[in-house]
Amino acid sequence: MANSSCRNFPIQRMRYVFALLCGTCFLVSSCGSSTKSVELAQQSVEQFHSQLDSEHFTALYAASDEKLHQAATETDFVKLLDAVHRKLGNVQRSNLRNTGVAWFAGQGATVTLVYETKFTQGTGMEKFVWHIKDNSASLYGYHIRGCPTFS
């Protein structure tokens, strides 16, 4: 008489293969979503810089995420951006130095991008945190360490 556990071996093996296949598909699809989220965040940084150069500080705050609104008042945020623009000038070029993506079930993702940015009057390390949901990005946070240059 055959052992019953031997008869179940092909079924157990199929379950294992199925679980492995599902896990691989999930990882591959997550990578694609991560790439799209990072690209969307990078486009949003370009738009941020354009609005910073045009001194549209209030519009930047209005388009930012509710989490940023809870962390900073419009007045404080506008003062920060005005000071950055006044001291460092317009953006000349930005080089992406670091990226990070975190997923939250049902809430989308956060993408953190760190740029070394050359302004007309100095350089700065900018850290952007974007909330990505429904194929759009809203600013969660903005931090800058800048050094004006004097001639």
Side-chain angles (χ1 to χ4, degrees):
M1 185 165 200
N3 188 344
S4 64
S5 64
C6 290
R7 279 186 263 158
N8 291 334
F9 182 72
I11 294 171
Q12 290 172 342
R13 189 174 198 172
M14 288 299 289
R15 286 181 183 160
Y16 174 76
V17 170
F18 182 73
L20 185 61
L21 183 61
C22 287
T24 302
C25 290
F26 176 76
L27 288 175
V28 169
S29 68
S30 294
C31 291
S33 297
S34 293
T35 301
K36 289 178 185 177
S37 295
V38 169
E39 288 173 358
L40 185 58
Q42 289 175 312
Q43 292 167 2
S44 297
V45 168
E46 290 175 21
Q47 184 178 3
F48 179 96
H49 283 154
S50 175
Q51 289 182 290
L52 180 68
D53 289 347
S54 301
E55 298 182 10
H56 293 145
F57 311 136
T58 304
L60 282 166
Y61 185 81
S64 66
D65 195 85
E66 185 60 35
K67 295 273 187 189
L68 189 136
H69 292 183
Q70 293 170 5
T73 66
E74 180 177 349
T75 302
D76 289 341
F77 190 73
V78 167
K79 282 181 184 178
L80 168 70
L81 296 183
D82 181 56
V84 168
H85 191 255
R86 197 171 8 88
K87 291 177 182 178
L88 295 174
N90 286 346
V91 173
Q92 300 296 302
R93 70 178 176 278
S94 287
N95 296 314
L96 182 63
R97 295 295 181 206
N98 196 4
T99 62
V101 179
W103 292 96
F104 300 97
Q107 298 178 13
T110 57
V111 175
T112 302
L113 302 175
V114 177
Y115 283 86
E116 181 179 358
T117 302
K118 169 84 171 85
F119 297 87
T120 54
Q121 298 170 27
T123 59
M125 291 298 289
E126 295 180 293
K127 179 181 177 182
F128 296 89
V129 182
W130 298 96
H131 180 214
I132 310 294
K133 188 171 183 180
D134 300 328
N135 207 27
S136 67
S138 58
L139 187 64
Y140 255 5
Y142 175 73
H143 307 278
I144 183 168
R145 286 188 332 222
C147 302
T149 55
F150 301 100
S151 326

